[in-house]
Amino acid sequence: MQTLAHFADGGPGPWVLLFPLVWALAIGAGVALLRRTVWRGRVGPGRPRTVDGNSPLTVLGHRFASGEIDEDEYWRRLSVLDDQFGRAGRGGPA
């Protein structure tokens, strides 16, 4: 009687290729899960930072926070930077 452990000539059948496929799918699912949860906010070679520490928007925000410029000056300069860099919204540097 033939069993799953022995194919026609006594060796393992083509179903033995299923095990590496199952492991590859399990590892791929694990990596996908980690990318969607744990690694989501990390900065890496393929993921540039959203706002550069020396960007004009960041510098303007720091100047406003430190009191170097007033609110009117902040909004005036921010509107110029919005036109130049295409930032949407008025919720601060993004």
Side-chain angles (χ1 to χ4, degrees):
M1 179 174 192
Q2 292 287 336
T3 63
L4 288 178
H6 299 287
F7 198 58
D9 62 351
W15 59 270
V16 78
L17 299 175
L18 183 64
F19 290 114
L21 181 63
V22 169
W23 278 108
L25 288 174
I27 291 170
V31 168
L33 181 67
L34 287 172
R35 286 187 66 182
R36 292 185 63 93
T37 57
V38 178
W39 297 337
R40 187 175 200 112
R42 296 211 177 163
V43 177
R47 297 178 147 194
R49 295 167 67 181
T50 55
V51 175
D52 185 22
N54 294 327
S55 73
L57 295 174
T58 305
V59 172
L60 180 64
H62 287 297
R63 289 187 64 198
F64 176 64
S66 67
E68 290 181 39
I69 58 175
D70 62 353
E71 185 177 0
D72 293 330
E73 180 75 9
Y74 173 77
W75 288 116
R76 186 176 61 77
R77 290 180 183 223
L78 185 62
S79 67
V80 171
L81 290 175
D82 283 343
D83 292 339
Q84 184 176 1
F85 292 103
R87 189 184 70 83
R90 295 182 78 170

